[in-house]
Amino acid sequence: MSFSGKGKGKEAMGVAVGADGLTAEERLYQETVRELQKTYAKKIKPLEQSYCFEGFHSAPLTPQDIGSKPMVLLLGQYSTGKTTFVEYLLGESYPGAHVGIEPTTDRFVAIMNGPEPKVIPGHAAAVSGDLPFSGLTKFGTKYLSRFQVAQLNNPLLANLTLIDTPGILSGSKQIQRGYDFVSVINWFAERSDLILLLFDSYKLDISDEFKGAIQSLRGHEDKVRVVLNKCDQVSQQQLMRVYGALMWSLGKVIPTPEVKRVYLGSFWPRYKTPVGNRYEENAELLAIEQKDLLRDLRSIPKNAALRRVNEIVKRARQARVHAHIIGYLRSELPSMFGKNKKAKAMLDDLPAEFRKIQVRYNLPPGDFPNPEAFKSDLEAFKIADFNKFNQKLITSADDALAIDFPRLMQKFPSDSRRSADIGLPESASDGEGGGKALYTPIPGSGSASAAPQVPYPPPYSALSAASSSSSRNPFGDDTSSGNPGMLRYKTLFDGACDPKSRVMSAQAARDVLSDTGLAHDLLREVWNAADWDNRGELDQVQFEVAMRMCERLKNKEPLDAARRQVLAELGLANRAASEGW
């Protein structure tokens, strides 16, 4: 979790900070991470290493793993809108993103915060001491060639990492990846704070590989949410049937009586024109569902410290049971002859051996691994080669579970005070005014001439207050707030744009911009800067760029300076960098 913001920036947003420049929530998170790193390294990791926990579960955690930012994993079959959903959240595309109706994302992409847009190849990312991906090296060269880190200077990513995954296909192609796809999914699932399963309202089938990926999430059910995307492309009656069919399909794959939370929506970035037929009858329902999902996302950094404790406690319990199993099986071998015969007999009746271990050591059955999976992993080892049962290591892990972790939990406030979130104002999510975005500011480049970086989401972002006005005032929102990303020309745009497509034609924009009195050569440059996608029309944010540039040019500001400053104010600095401005 990144806490790189400066105290003054947070105080300007009404967030109390201490002498160290951190809020109470940020300080609690850092203290929690340090305590977890210390306790894990001293009392849990030795137990894992002694009984080869890595060969059955996952490699020992590094300090970077424990201290990494909260992570959101996106899973789904091809063309269900995973990459588009990421762009919807960010308000812009990330480096290396590809979107299309065919399978386009062909690799795992970790979208993280960085000073400038760039792509870090998988091999370099895996050996970087600053990134929490060193554990991916166990999946080999073929996988690392299909993994990359995309860095972007986006406020959302200051407190969150998004994992975009390849679209899952059906048929024989899925077995030609060259790496264990399901094991990779499980690795990310262990480290994720939220797992989103995306489905398309037109593609509800679950392929064998997707089924395996979903079933690999066993043990992480509390993190899983289901998103039914593109719901605006079916009628209300069809949506009811699609929802029922999806629940039936999930019931065949997820063997639990509990019903998974399913969010309905159509997650289009605001700078892209939605494709396909759209049914407006679902608009109100989808708006409510999308707000619920954003609220869920907003709570992730807020609960990050608690989740870190929860994950380490869960891992410690698994390691403790694993040590008892290995220690017991090792102790049951004869001292001289017949070791292999006895080992084979125990493997053939592993469930019965598990029951003996449960009774002898008074262990809860729910902490034991799947017998078949454990047997498959154990066959790669010789039981006689494992260390004997070490009560000292077990006692140390018991102390962590009984003393260290409970003491750490006592530091968390028991009340329901609001904590730092990832920047979705309460007013944008709940339809009530008064909320402030709590983005951690991103420090600038340090240059005195650099445009200031504002701690607000880009106006295209789903987490921006400007993305959906919540004002109940008939005269509109208050634009006098400290948010420079507030759209000041919204009323003018609403009066001149097409009410259905929500874009302004070139002719309508010409009439409005000509009224500024600027010369045509300047207006031509303004249009080139605003119409960056060469559509020949302007959406609401592009119109805002054009009008703000005109405003600055009328004050005799140089063209290049006006363009850079306006894009920086609106959180579109990445757009300027990609265009070389």
Side-chain angles (χ1 to χ4, degrees), residues 24 94 98 161 233 306 313 337 358 362 418 447-448 450 571:
Y94 63 82
H98 300 285
T161 295
Q233 297 183 14
L306 279 170
V313 169
F337 304 106
Q358 291 172 23
N362 193 27
R418 286 185 58 196
S447 169

Side-chain angles (χ1 to χ4, degrees), residues 46 139 151 172 180 184 205 231 246 270 295-297 325 333 360 365 376 389 438-439 462 483 521 547 550 559:
F139 298 112
Q151 289 191 334
S172 61
D180 190 341
V184 174
D205 59 307
C231 290
L246 175 61
R270 295 180 61 242
R295 189 180 296 113
D296 211 350
L297 286 168
I325 294 173
L333 294 180
R360 175 176 292 191
S376 176
F389 187 79
L438 298 181
Y439 266 116
N483 183 358
D521 58 338
M547 292 303 296
C550 289
L559 176 65

Side-chain angles (χ1 to χ4, degrees), residues 15 21 122 137 170 208 228 236 364 456 470 527 557 562 573:
V15 183
T137 54
S170 58
D208 292 341
L228 181 57
Q236 202 168 65
Y456 295 93
S470 59
W527 178 269
E557 192 169 323

Side-chain angles (χ1 to χ4, degrees), residues 531-550:
D531 184 27
W532 53 69
D533 49 7
N534 296 317
R535 287 187 299 178
E537 55 191 10
L538 302 180
D539 62 28
Q540 187 172 340
V541 176
Q542 290 173 319
F543 179 71
E544 184 78 18
V545 169
M547 292 303 296
R548 289 198 187 192
M549 284 187 64
C550 289

Side-chain angles (χ1 to χ4, degrees), residues 227-422:
V227 177
L228 181 57
N229 198 10
K230 306 180 185 179
C231 290
D232 60 345
Q233 297 183 14
V234 295
S235 66
Q236 202 168 65
Q237 183 183 30
Q238 290 171 328
L239 180 58
M240 179 181 66
R241 293 174 177 169
V242 166
Y243 181 85
L246 175 61
M247 298 303 291
W248 182 85
S249 297
L250 290 173
K252 305 283 282 185
V253 177
I254 305 176
T256 59
E258 294 85 5
V259 178
K260 286 294 171 190
R261 175 66 164 97
V262 178
Y263 294 100
L264 309 178
S266 182
F267 302 97
W268 289 100
R270 295 180 61 242
Y271 59 88
K272 289 186 176 180
T273 303
V275 298
N277 187 30
R278 305 187 72 189
Y279 290 85
E280 297 298 331
E281 58 191 282
N282 297 326
E284 185 176 353
L285 170 64
L286 299 187
I288 296 172
E289 288 284 302
Q290 289 174 193
K291 285 181 180 178
D292 286 347
L293 177 56
L294 294 178
R295 189 180 296 113
D296 211 350
L297 286 168
R298 189 181 68 240
S299 70
I300 294 174
K302 174 179 176 179
N303 300 319
L306 279 170
R307 277 201 173 275
R308 286 291 176 270
V309 176
N310 181 70
E311 290 302 311
I312 298 298
V313 169
K314 183 165 66 174
R315 186 181 178 94
R317 293 175 66 92
Q318 290 175 336
R320 181 175 176 273
V321 168
H322 175 81
H324 277 101
I325 294 173
I326 296 299
Y328 171 83
L329 296 178
R330 175 69 176 80
S331 68
E332 290 296 300
L333 294 180
S335 57
M336 294 292 291
F337 304 106
K339 291 183 179 180
N340 292 338
K341 183 178 179 181
K342 178 62 176 178
K344 185 178 184 304
M346 290 190 294
L347 282 177
D348 290 341
D349 197 15
L350 202 54
E353 301 298 330
F354 279 7
R355 286 192 290 272
K356 294 178 185 177
I357 298 169
Q358 291 172 23
V359 173
R360 175 176 292 191
Y361 298 108
N362 193 27
L363 299 174
D367 285 352
F368 278 73
N370 179 278
E372 290 300 320
F374 191 86
K375 177 182 177 181
S376 176
D377 293 331
L378 189 57
E379 287 174 344
F381 300 88
K382 276 190 174 183
I383 296 179
D385 292 339
F386 285 113
N387 293 325
K388 293 182 179 180
F389 187 79
N390 188 329
Q391 185 59 48
K392 184 179 179 180
L393 292 176
I394 296 293
T395 301
S396 183
D398 288 343
D399 287 344
L401 290 167
I403 300 173
D404 296 316
F405 294 137
R407 184 172 58 225
L408 189 57
M409 286 298 298
Q410 291 175 1
K411 294 183 178 181
F412 292 92
S414 59
D415 60 9
S416 57
R417 293 178 305 180
R418 286 185 58 196
S419 299
D421 54 36
I422 58 175

Side-chain angles (χ1 to χ4, degrees), residues 43 50 101 118 129 148 208 210 248 265 280 314 357 366 397 406 437 448 452 460 467 543:
K43 298 185 176 182
S50 181
I101 59 173
K118 69 176 179 180
Q148 66 185 32
D208 292 341
F210 193 23
W248 182 85
E280 297 298 331
K314 183 165 66 174
I357 298 169
Y460 283 129
S467 64
F543 179 71

Side-chain angles (χ1 to χ4, degrees), residues 169-185:
L169 301 173
S170 58
S172 61
K173 287 186 178 180
Q174 62 190 23
I175 62 174
Q176 299 175 3
R177 293 187 186 272
Y179 60 88
D180 190 341
F181 180 81
V182 172
S183 295
V184 174
I185 292 297

